[in-house]
Amino acid sequence: QGGHFSWDKYLKETGASAAPAHCFRQGATPPVNEFKAGMKLEAQDPRNTTSTCIATVVGLTGSRLRLRLDGSDNKNDFWRLVDSSEIQPIGNCEKNAGMLQPPLGFRLNASSWPMFLLKTLNGAEMAPARIFHKEPPAPEQNSFQVGMKLEAVDRKNPHFICPATVGALRGVEVLVTFDGWRGAFDYYCRYDSRDIFPVGWCSLTGDNLQPPGTKAALPKTLSCLSDGSEGTAMHPMPGQPPGQRGRKPGRRKAKLTGPWGQKGA
Ligand code: MLY
């Protein structure tokens, strides 16, 4: 639903413009997601990209799948678009004379992999080939410009898609900076990365676009966060003291303090 954040108002109030759709390696319309939780497929292991593994769909959001590699733990889930070239129907690897590999950090002894594979696939619901989509082609060149707005995956919290701005250009790379955050989440990616989307993407897919952060450099009044009704904001507003948002006080990492002072702080 996109919460209460409105790109329309935000763009007007920031005087910024959205990066045009032709800049992105994304479909003209987001691909339909016909996957179901529990379905299995083949996926490249994100931590060991030469390995093709078995993955299970553990969640769905918009055009993306939350995936977990079979034999791995639940701490390394990753997200892929349904038109990603990094996912394939089961059988694809073998068809190309490849071997399915255990994931990095396989829970069992490596020697038990063949039996594990047999068991994990036995009676499994395999995602049918027709629900996979072809990956869109990459635009010919990097046509982003500094200051353009976009929606981007927060790579440190990849379930989040957030309002972002192109902060710099470096050849085929763009610096993705997150609006309202101080820079800890920023990253460089190729212009044809699958982690960046045109403004309006989430509202088309039904993904929940995060509102901008409240930690840095935002205009003083942002009615786009609360549909105009000042004073009754449902979201933290700019001006709130830092460190109040998105983190429970008790879970804050202990700071190293001592007679040597705030070393490295
Ligand atoms: N719990 C995290 C969440 C940060 C998310 C930042 N993204 C949206 C750019 C924190 O407060 O550090």
Side-chain angles (χ1 to χ4, degrees):
Q1 266 156 3
H4 294 273
F5 175 70
S6 153
W7 267 120
D8 253 16
K9 293 177 184 171
Y10 187 64
L11 290 178
K12 279 198 190 93
E13 290 173 19
T14 55
S17 60
H22 68 78
C23 295
F24 297 87
R25 185 176 202 167
Q26 301 296 349
T29 56
V32 289
N33 190 345
E34 297 178 88
F35 287 79
K36 303 251 170 331
M39 283 181 168
K40 292 193 192 293
L41 48 103
E42 292 178 2
Q44 305 319 119
D45 183 343
R47 296 191 289 168
N48 187 14
T49 52
T50 57
S51 283
T52 304
C53 300
I54 297 296
T56 302
V57 177
V58 295
L60 302 122
T61 157
S63 294
R64 298 195 302 161
L65 306 172
R66 176 177 179 155
L67 299 174
R68 187 172 299 165
L69 297 180
D70 289 32
S72 178
D73 52 71
N74 59 6
K75 301 273 145 59
N76 290 285
D77 291 353
F78 56 103
W79 280 255
R80 289 291 175 265
L81 287 159
V82 298
D83 60 1
S84 166
S85 58
E86 292 169 1
I87 58 171
Q88 305 88 32
I90 285 172
N92 194 270
C93 181
E94 193 180 35
K95 204 176 75 192
N96 294 293
M99 294 261 280
L100 289 168
Q101 302 294 327
L104 200 86
F106 182 48
R107 287 185 284 107
L108 308 174
N109 197 291
S111 63
S112 53
W113 171 245
M115 189 53 74
F116 178 90
L117 186 58
L118 216 60
K119 284 184 180 160
T120 201
L121 290 178
N122 187 259
E125 185 183 3
M126 302 183 194
R130 60 168 182 81
I131 68 177
F132 291 79
H133 298 250
K134 212 172 129 78
E135 189 162 67
E140 264 160 42
Q141 51 178 7
N142 185 355
S143 349
F144 286 101
Q145 281 168 30
V146 171
M148 285 176 166
K149 299 286 182 192
L150 62 153
E151 298 180 3
V153 171
D154 171 356
R155 287 186 171 174
K156 289 191 177 161
N157 307 276
H159 50 291
F160 286 143
I161 302 182
C162 316
T165 307
V166 176
L169 299 168
R170 195 167 74 183
V172 293
E173 294 186 313
V174 301
L175 176 63
V176 174
T177 68
F178 288 92
D179 287 35
W181 295 88
R182 288 205 186 93
F185 303 96
D186 298 357
Y187 58 84
Y188 271 99
C189 66
R190 284 183 53 98
Y191 74 94
D192 57 359
S193 165
R194 303 307 316 281
D195 286 344
I196 54 178
F197 309 93
V199 163
W201 178 268
C202 285
S203 79
L204 291 175
T205 61
D207 263 305
N208 181 33
L209 181 69
Q210 296 300 116
T214 56
K215 296 195 187 255
L218 279 174
K220 274 177 206 75
T221 54
L222 274 182
S223 59
C224 53
L225 287 174
S226 64
D227 60 26
S229 43
E230 312 273 5
T232 55
M234 301 295 287
H235 290 278
M237 294 297 279
Q240 187 186 20
Q244 298 282 101
R245 199 168 165 276
R247 181 180 280 159
K248 294 191 189 101
R251 305 217 316 179
R252 187 187 289 276
K253 262 197 199 123
K255 271 227 178 70
L256 280 177
T257 55
W260 57 85
Q262 302 268 85
K263 208 180 169 202

